[in-house]
Amino acid sequence: MARTSRPLRARLRRLGAVGVVIATLAWSSACAVIPVGGPFAVGEAGDNDPMSKPFQRMVAIEPQPGWSPQQVVEGLQAAMAAYADDPEILPKYLTDEARQAWKPGGPVTVLDNGAKYDESGKIGDKEVTVVISGTQVARIEDDDTYVPVSAGVDRKFTLVKDKTGEYRVNSLVGGLVLTEADVARAYRPTNLYYLNGVPGSGGANADMLVVDRVRLRLKPTESFAKTIIERLLKGPSKALQGAVENVFPHGTRVESVRALDDRVLINLSGPIDADGIFSRGLQAQLRWSLTSNNVANGRSIEVQLDGEPFYSSDTLTIEPKLPDDWLGSASNVVYYTNSKGAVYSVGHDGPGRVVAGPAGQPNGPYSDFAVITGGYATGQGADLIAAKSKAGGIWVTRAAADGHWQQWIQGASADLTAPSWHRDGTLWTYDRRNKAVLRCNPSAGRGPERIAAPSLDGFDVTRLRIARDGVRVAVTIGKHEIRVGAITGEGASTMLGNFQTLSTVNDENIMDLAWRDGEHLVVLSSSNAGSVVKEINVGDGTVTKLPSDKRLHTLAAQGERILAGTLHKNEILESNLDKQNWTAKIATDADTPIFPLG
């Protein structure tokens, strides 16, 4: 921030004289940053409070006499950062005309910390234009989603002198403009959890949680636990609307959230069915939404309805640890193909073992294998293995001695993307010739059917991957773009929608991608400098670079494990994230690694 002006320093000295203690100070021409932990009903501020997160609150002051136009704009920007906590300061930087026209709503523009101010365009001594030049790095949508952006910004502010001779902003584009530092100070990345059941079903068929990542603003008047729950009740962001179930009925309210010695007490009100049909999903949504954000860790959660026990005979208590299967159970089995196309399975450790049935035989005509374990495929005792055939179409066999290849989907091999299993046992692909998403469900007595995906119309879809939660879908467009959407509806009304661009790379070619879990994609790209491996959070686009190796050719991922096939198709490598390198997992005659689903 800019050096503090003399009037502001004098004012802060006066504030200090009357007992305001500033423990941590960051300067602007109009702001001070004071560590605030929020309301502490129980415990002390900071890490000892299980309900809140310590943060630094931006405290803005009104414009001071004698400030230059640039100082006024800097002060205005500080007032924007403090607006949610103190909306009274910002209007004092505006003329009456601008005050009437400006609206705080809409997406929040996030600029990089290196934005520069340029005072220019003077018209005599009465009108001045100040331009903030920088890079927009993101926007925060009205539904609290954080969307990465990379675009140059020249934001113009026209200032005029008021009747007292002081500069005020006369034109202001709607919405708040914050810096990365403002966002880091006042917002927290937050994971909310919804159910993978069909919306409106009450969570009856749900068996997994689906992550919805948002940016929530910390409030000095409210515990972070209450902020999380209130946002959870509003329902999913637009990325998951129509695709996940929220068991909290519309109109549910949070009356209070209190931390007691050994538990957190949540008092709700509204149209919740007190007979308990929502209890299982409610427990999962609440527990994981709180503990995944390091709130109320290690404490049981007691839920009340209108201040009374949730059930007529007992209180709904959520224990500190829920079964991990809500997040999906990861199998230790890894599959891979050898140079002749035979499929092998290998445990977490130990040598590979050829699978039973035709998939374990040399399969020269087959490629792009995908596996679903028998527990997911209804009516199938053994694992199912799908593959594209050079003769055409996608074929499936059971990994059993009596298995045989059956064609599930027709079409030229070059026109179909690699098969992708849904956790319900259906098989999906994209037909590039006919521009159609295809789903096959033989267990229901139906052949391939088209699934509507209007957001993909007119685009060159080169890959389609369904996440293990059965909700999110990733596609690649050509060689340079990744989009993520969701499966909405059910039965004949099923469609792929909610697509948003996750990543665009102009100087790299996307070689492969894999779901590590429902929240992260692992992407392998090639560039002039060699291969690039990165993990992308599909909720907010956060990119983490992973160890790379010039030998990498294909990827498979599950949980903490990431495997790669090599260009020479002679070994399977495993990523060692701690040591930032790749080591041999299968050292001889190994081509492509495969994890079930994903």
Side-chain angles (χ1 to χ4, degrees), residues 336-344 354-369 385-391 395-399 403-406 591 594:
Y336 70 93
T337 58
N338 68 2
S339 59
K340 296 181 180 179
V343 180
Y344 286 71
V354 68
V355 302
Q361 305 300 316
N363 288 296
Y366 294 97
S367 64
D368 298 296
F369 293 85
I385 299 174
K388 290 169 56 176
S389 171
K390 291 181 180 179
W395 298 65
V396 177
T397 181
R398 296 172 66 240
H404 59 279
W405 288 109
Q406 294 179 301
D591 185 353
I594 310 163

Side-chain angles (χ1 to χ4, degrees), residues 8 49 80 239 299 345 414 423 433 450 458 544 585 591:
L8 178 58
D49 184 357
M80 286 189 179
R299 297 185 177 214
S345 66
R423 60 188 290 105
R433 175 183 291 272
R450 287 191 176 213
T544 302
K585 174 66 179 177
D591 185 353

Side-chain angles (χ1 to χ4, degrees), residues 498-519:
N498 303 354
F499 278 99
Q500 300 176 30
T501 297
L502 178 68
S503 175
T504 301
V505 288
N506 295 320
D507 54 350
E508 300 173 9
N509 289 334
I510 299 170
M511 298 172 62
D512 204 1
L513 56 79
W515 287 99
R516 188 170 70 77
D517 52 34
E519 188 181 2

Side-chain angles (χ1 to χ4, degrees), residues 42 50 258-265 287 296-302 317-320:
V42 178
R258 293 189 293 145
L260 306 179
D261 289 340
D262 59 348
R263 67 191 187 279
V264 174
L265 181 61
R287 168 54 71 188
N297 287 350
R299 297 185 177 214
S300 61
I301 298 173
E302 181 180 319
T317 300
I318 307 172
E319 297 304 323

